[in-house]
Amino acid sequence: MCRVVDLRQAVLAKNDEAAQALRTELTARGTTVVNLLSSPGSGKTALLERELLLARERGVAVAALTADLATENDAVRLARSGVPVKQVLTDGLCHLEAAMLGRHLDGWLPRDTRLLFVENVGNLVCPAGYDLGESLRVVLASVTEGEDKPLKYPTAFGLAQLVVVTKTDIARAVEFDEAAFRANVEQVNPGVEIVLTSARAGEGLGVLLDRALAIGAGGGAHAPVMARQQHAHGHDHGHDHEHEHGDDHDHEHGHGHDGDPGRDGDHEHPHVQTAAQTR
């Protein structure tokens, strides 16, 4: 008798176990993890750099880990803030996974870190289904990406605990319809907070930091309806192979990645190190 096994659900269930273990460990040591997801070019690195600088000015012990398919550009840029920064090169893998993140934090993350910002690989498809042990999941979208982005990528926006709109300084120039965007977000994730930001103009600066600190202090995060539904029906995270063409080649799953988080395609090269050490 042939038994059909849903490998997707099995992989995600295994990742969820690793994520919960990592969340428990980091929470016990007083570290709040913020998972940042967005399309490439959304401006999340620019905003994160400003937030890291602000955290340092306020005396908040913060660190950042950034993931890309190639180059250490983002880590070098973020390290200018003076906080601990680490680059992870996924070498084709389109997302981070909990076990992978845990290995990179082991022996690197300072013990007194209050906030860890994780800049996920740039796309809104693959990372959406993977819990990293975060306490706050943030999805960012720039005003140039279109008001219908939440409807096109309902899993990413539907699981967000905070939605950040970036580059608002050019909103008028690109005729961004804020009301339409808000309505579309509300359709897939009722009640989630939407924050308007501009790294260039300083609009909304500090809101991301404040929300993360509040959660670390025991405040509750938004509970998306989609997350509650998925919990009730098992581990189906809606990782349904939506294809966002142009977003870092979302379906590049080469290099022997067979869906097992124990073999997560983690191809960090020997030369990759804390960006602050490379400056």
Side-chain angles (χ1 to χ4, degrees):
M1 180 177 180
C2 180
R3 184 167 66 96
V4 178
V5 178
D6 190 334
L7 293 179
R8 179 186 63 183
Q9 291 192 13
V11 167
L12 292 174
K14 186 173 181 180
N15 181 81
D16 285 350
E17 292 177 4
Q20 186 55 49
L22 184 60
R23 182 181 295 108
T24 299
E25 175 188 345
L26 292 176
T27 299
R29 58 188 269 184
T31 301
T32 300
V33 178
V34 181
N35 185 7
L36 304 175
L37 294 82
S38 79
S39 302
S42 68
K44 69 176 176 294
T45 304
L47 180 63
L48 180 55
E49 184 178 8
R50 294 292 303 271
E51 295 286 338
L52 294 177
L53 284 168
L54 183 60
R56 188 181 181 191
E57 292 173 4
R58 293 184 181 179
V60 177
V62 63
L65 181 146
T66 181
D68 281 300
L69 277 70
T71 84
E72 299 176 25
N73 296 346
D74 287 352
V76 171
R77 182 175 176 181
L78 293 176
R80 296 185 306 202
S81 65
V83 309
V85 175
K86 187 171 187 179
Q87 177 77 58
V88 174
L89 297 184
T90 65
D91 197 20
L93 188 64
C94 61
H95 61 275
L96 288 174
E97 297 177 7
M100 183 194 309
L101 177 61
R103 288 199 303 276
H104 284 292
L105 297 183
D106 187 27
W108 168 74
L109 187 67
R111 292 292 305 178
D112 65 344
T113 302
R114 289 181 61 190
L115 296 180
L116 170 65
F117 288 97
V118 177
E119 186 177 16
N120 219 313
V121 180
N123 75 82
L124 289 175
V125 184
C126 302
Y130 287 84
D131 183 359
L132 297 183
E134 70 265 18
S135 295
L136 178 62
R137 174 175 290 213
V138 182
V139 173
L140 303 90
S142 71
V143 298
T144 62
E145 295 178 61
E147 296 82 1
D148 61 347
K149 202 77 170 183
L151 302 182
K152 289 183 175 181
Y153 304 100
T155 301
F157 283 89
L159 292 175
Q161 294 167 300
L162 178 67
V163 174
V164 174
V165 179
T166 61
K167 304 184 182 181
T168 56
D169 53 301
I170 60 171
R172 179 173 295 182
V174 299
E175 299 182 345
F176 175 67
D177 188 336
E178 181 185 337
F181 180 83
R182 287 182 177 275
N184 291 334
V185 172
E186 183 69 16
Q187 184 173 331
V188 299
N189 193 345
V192 69
E193 181 182 11
I194 301 173
V195 177
L196 304 181
T197 68
S198 167
R200 177 179 297 177
E203 180 182 5
L205 184 63
V207 174
L208 184 57
L209 179 61
D210 290 341
R211 297 296 182 273
L213 288 172
I215 290 174
H222 170 69
V225 173
M226 181 179 292
R228 297 198 296 270
Q229 292 173 340
Q230 290 175 354
H231 180 73
H233 294 91
H235 294 280
D236 182 3
H237 288 241
H239 191 64
D240 53 6
H241 303 286
E242 304 167 61
H243 294 294
E244 182 174 7
H245 297 293
D247 278 11
D248 282 351
H249 304 287
D250 303 334
H251 47 284
E252 291 185 37
H253 290 287
H255 308 283
H257 178 62
D258 61 1
D260 182 354
R263 297 175 57 194
D264 54 23
D266 180 9
H267 302 287
E268 185 185 20
H269 299 286
H271 70 277
V272 178
Q273 55 187 313
T274 303
Q277 298 171 341
T278 68
R279 292 184 297 160

